[in-house]
Amino acid sequence: MTVAQIRSLPELLVNQIAAGEVVERPASALKELLENSLDAGARSIAVDLAEGGVRRLRVVDDGSGIDPEDLPLAVARFATSKIATLEDLERAATLGFRGEALASIGAVARLAIVSRRAGERHAWRIACEAGVVSVPEPAALASGTTVEVEDLYFNTPARRKFLKSEATEFGRCDEAFSRIALSRPGVAFSLAHNGRKSAHFPPEDARRRAARIVGEDFAASAVEVRSESARLRIGGLAAAPGFTRPNREAQFLFVNGRFVRDKVAAHAIREAYADVLHHDRHPAYVLFLEIDPALVDVNVHPAKSEVRFRESSAVHQFVFHALSRALDTKIGDTKTGDRPPFPLSENVAAFEKGGLSPVFGQASLAMAQPTAAYETLFAAAVTDERRAAASAPEAPPALGYALAQLHGVYILAQNAAGLVVVDMHAAHERIVYEGLKAALDAAALPSQPLLVPIAMTATPEEVESAGEGRAELESLGFDVAAGGPRELVIRAVPSLLADLDAAGLLRSVLGEMREFGASRVLVERRNELLSTLACHGAVRANRSLTIPEMNALLRQMEATERAGSCNHGRPTWFQFGMPDLDRLFMRGR
Ligand SMILES: Nc1ncnc2c1ncn2[C@@H]1O[C@H](COP(=O)(O)OP(=O)(O)O)[C@@H](O)[C@H]1O
Ligand SMILES: [Mg+2]
């Protein structure tokens, strides 16, 4: 082959190439159209699809409309009304700004736009078919904009072949639609496929909208997340620990109103759940992070599904603390988190099927001697309880008063709502664990100097991170120095973790510090150890407790953070309300 001459590509071909990224499939075209409607201030948006969106995709909105003179520009490449300068780009608050969606769609489909601005005598229509733009002509439409896309990829058969079945493409469209509907609960949305209504959302609050899209059980049990700093704000709902899921599908993070997948925030959220989550379960959440647009780059990819934060470690810490605070619920708090429902949630049933976590093999450890930790915590609580009983009557405790112990495993108690059943081992395990953590948190992680320093080979990045993060490493109990451009020398290690592989541990710490600006690897390892200790230290099944001891345990549960679930994320108690019991006995029917 001879070397070809360099030449500019024709505009249609350029748009078709761009379409490969912006309009990968019907769902991505739909996302672009919905974002345009929201940018135009629509309060109500109706979507109508045929054959998975490939045959037809129509979006009708009541937004501001497009000026008739601007119609040809709307379908021109790199033409946008949303930004004009580089500064605008750096602080773009609209969902769109690249000005290429409509041009790309018009290059690979039959596109028609009908729009009417307030004050115009009638609407105008423009069409763009395989890049050929028509002259605007008068049309009929009450207000807003209707965009119709037909026969996606009719002129690019190679791309068309990559489309999946109608059901799959519709599924993707439904997903894109749901994410956007979730991000704007105040806007009405409807979706129809092949003439059949599939969703209809009136304007409502965020919890109602989440109930429709993520699930009633999620919305009813989720804790509210709300935090604000000088430059960051987060709000939304996060699943209570007992309501986790087997996959990551119900994780919705919106950054400045845009659905994104972000490693930094996802990691921070996961960390916040570390203590209350079984390792193969995933939290569900709908979170809205707001940040000064100048501090986040959304222009990483044409589809804008990823963002880059200017200060990712600040974002990581902010999100982690906001979530931790929301999850630190005590029983009886007004936050909805710790109110297990009746009957048992689908979640608990799943746990039962999958078997319990190995650490929780309490049957084999039956009747172990209670450890010192248990004795001291317990003794203190018993005296506390006596003291409380002697003082003036207060509001009735959330978990009520113990009635009896059932088969050495459960405590039965009566509270205002009805019957409370507590798994005494699971509950006590959490109490011991939180106690151990608090005791250790009060002091810095103690450091233990090594008799013989460990030299480890490291990458230049690791050597650099170790230098920059020296102070933080010291607070974690590490003393590390560079031994050369590719060598680190470990002179002291966190003493609690002295038996673990120091080089491996340091490597994970440095990796996290580089990626997220902070590392919780050590705290996590330490917590894993404490959790094992707590499991052994907690009161065993088959140990009989006296009524005062049981009451002491209930009072301790009320006073302990996260007491609604054990260290492995299993619930520690259930409420059986009087109506639930009445229903069982068909009373009052
Ligand atoms: N539904 C709509 N309502 C009002 N104006 C719209 C609508 N859709 C598109 N436009 C106009 O067309 C322009 C081009 O749209 P698009 O190609 O998606 O680029 P961008 O959204 O990046 O500006 C927008 O800047 C906007 O002015
Ligand atoms: Mg757009």
Side-chain angles (χ1 to χ4, degrees):
M1 193 180 114
T2 54
V3 176
Q5 229 183 324
I6 298 178
R7 59 184 154 238
S8 294
L9 297 175
E11 183 166 335
L12 175 60
L13 187 53
V14 170
N15 284 335
Q16 285 171 341
I17 292 171
E21 288 179 313
V22 192
V23 205
E24 202 191 332
R25 55 188 346 136
S28 27
L30 175 60
K31 166 182 173 285
E32 295 293 337
L33 299 184
L34 290 172
E35 291 188 345
N36 280 346
S37 296
L38 290 176
D39 281 345
R43 303 309 302 160
S44 172
I45 301 176
V47 179
D48 190 6
L49 306 175
E51 296 174 23
V54 182
R55 172 78 196 82
R56 193 182 60 247
L57 205 151
R58 187 197 299 135
V59 174
V60 180
D61 72 43
D62 61 353
S64 61
I66 306 172
D67 266 342
E69 309 85 82
D70 284 349
L71 272 177
L73 280 175
V75 294
R77 187 164 167 73
F78 299 135
T80 176
S81 57
K82 299 169 193 174
I83 60 170
T85 65
L86 180 63
E87 277 108 75
D88 292 349
L89 171 64
E90 281 170 354
R91 41 186 67 250
T94 49
L95 295 166
F97 53 78
R98 295 171 60 107
E100 60 186 347
L102 292 179
S104 302
I105 294 170
V108 295
R110 298 181 227 276
L111 168 71
I113 305 172
V114 181
S115 191
R116 180 170 177 182
R117 270 185 89 86
E120 291 287 329
R121 292 227 308 278
H122 54 76
W124 291 85
R125 178 180 193 276
I126 194 169
C128 179
E129 217 174 287
V132 182
V133 182
S134 75
V135 177
E137 51 188 48
L141 182 71
S143 69
T145 304
T146 295
V147 180
E148 195 163 272
V149 179
E150 290 195 326
D151 301 321
L152 195 61
Y153 298 133
F154 78 97
N155 58 340
T156 50
R159 275 225 75 88
R160 207 183 165 108
K161 284 204 197 93
F162 282 98
L163 294 175
K164 299 271 166 42
S165 71
E166 178 176 331
T168 305
E169 294 301 342
F170 172 67
R172 299 292 191 95
C173 287
D174 186 42
E175 207 173 69
F177 172 86
S178 300
R179 281 173 189 161
I180 287 183
L182 202 49
S183 77
R184 293 291 201 288
V187 176
F189 284 89
S190 70
L191 175 67
H193 186 217
N194 294 336
R196 196 173 303 143
K197 263 230 151 9
S198 108
H200 181 77
F201 308 143
E204 55 202 340
D205 66 28
R207 206 180 269 268
R208 278 306 306 147
R209 186 61 61 88
R212 291 176 202 275
I213 294 172
V214 188
E216 292 285 351
D217 62 332
F218 168 77
S221 64
V223 296
E224 201 158 318
V225 180
R226 191 172 296 281
S227 247
E228 194 163 349
S229 76
R231 290 175 310 164
L232 288 158
R233 194 177 327 150
I234 194 167
L237 299 172
F243 291 81
T244 55
R245 306 208 168 191
N247 56 46
R248 291 192 180 83
E249 267 158 35
Q251 304 189 336
F252 299 91
L253 172 71
F254 300 92
V255 174
N256 291 347
R258 182 193 307 281
F259 176 84
V260 296
R261 297 183 190 290
D262 177 64
K263 258 195 338 191
V264 172
H267 185 266
I269 295 168
R270 175 98 210 161
E271 295 263 273
Y273 273 96
D275 252 6
V276 285
L277 199 64
H278 189 266
H279 54 81
D280 50 32
R281 305 286 296 178
H282 301 275
Y285 50 80
V286 179
L287 293 171
F288 299 91
L289 180 67
E290 282 168 45
I291 178 171
D292 180 346
L295 297 177
V296 57
D297 186 2
V298 290
N299 197 18
V300 181
H301 181 269
K304 310 189 199 82
S305 54
E306 276 170 42
V307 291
R308 216 167 277 148
F309 296 111
R310 197 150 296 171
E311 291 161 38
S312 62
S313 78
V315 172
H316 189 275
Q317 277 167 27
F318 176 76
V319 173
F320 172 77
H321 288 296
L323 263 284
S324 304
R325 214 167 312 132
L327 291 170
D328 280 352
T329 339
K330 284 187 184 155
I331 295 166
D333 275 3
T334 43
K335 288 191 267 186
T336 30
D338 273 319
R339 228 184 292 139
F342 176 88
L344 300 185
S345 70
E346 154 260 333
N347 218 358
V348 177
F351 257 115
E352 248 102 72
K353 265 188 249 134
L356 304 182
S357 104
V359 190
F360 208 77
Q362 54 168 292
S364 59
L365 298 163
M367 302 298 286
Q369 265 323 99
T371 66
Y374 157 66
E375 292 288 12
T376 45
L377 276 169
F378 224 60
V382 172
T383 28
D384 273 357
E385 205 243 350
R386 294 217 178 96
R387 214 174 299 135
S391 64
E394 292 167 24
L399 294 176
Y401 296 102
L403 300 170
Q405 193 180 12
L406 184 65
H407 285 295
V409 178
Y410 298 109
I411 294 171
L412 307 182
Q414 169 178 325
N415 68 358
L419 176 69
V420 170
V421 179
V422 172
D423 178 335
M424 68 184 203
H425 174 82
H428 194 232
E429 189 182 32
R430 166 65 72 185
I431 293 167
V432 174
Y433 177 51
E434 294 293 333
L436 290 172
K437 273 200 310 187
L440 269 182
D441 281 342
L445 277 180
S447 179
Q448 177 178 315
L450 294 175
L451 275 180
V452 185
I454 302 173
M456 63 180 264
T457 52
T459 64
E461 292 82 31
E462 283 170 339
V463 175
E464 191 189 330
S465 309
E468 282 172 0
R470 209 186 151 77
E472 180 168 19
L473 286 174
E474 266 166 19
S475 74
L476 295 172
F478 265 116
D479 179 3
V480 181
R486 286 173 179 279
E487 190 183 84
L488 285 173
V489 180
I490 308 175
R491 294 190 292 230
V493 296
S495 49
L496 193 64
L497 305 170
D499 296 338
L500 301 180
D501 161 30
L505 208 54
L506 179 61
R507 204 160 266 144
S508 344
V509 170
L510 291 176
E512 283 210 335
M513 279 169 48
R514 203 162 51 240
E515 196 163 0
F516 307 113
S519 175
R520 293 190 35 89
V521 170
L522 290 183
V523 176
E524 256 169 47
R525 293 280 183 291
R526 184 202 76 176
N527 286 353
E528 271 165 31
L529 276 179
L530 294 186
S531 163
T532 312
L533 278 178
C535 182
H536 289 269
V539 55
R540 296 286 145 214
N542 296 325
R543 183 178 183 281
S544 63
L545 299 181
T546 62
I547 296 280
E549 279 180 318
M550 288 188 249
N551 280 327
L553 186 70
L554 298 178
R555 299 298 81 81
Q556 274 188 308
M557 284 175 73
E558 287 154 3
T560 302
E561 302 282 6
R562 305 162 191 243
S565 57
C566 81
N567 307 347
H568 315 293
R570 302 179 335 120
T572 54
W573 67 288
F574 275 96
Q575 171 83 63
F576 296 81
M578 292 308 281
D580 301 322
L581 294 172
D582 289 347
R583 214 172 301 132
L584 280 177
F585 291 96
M586 295 182 228
R587 273 180 75 111
R589 292 215 169 167

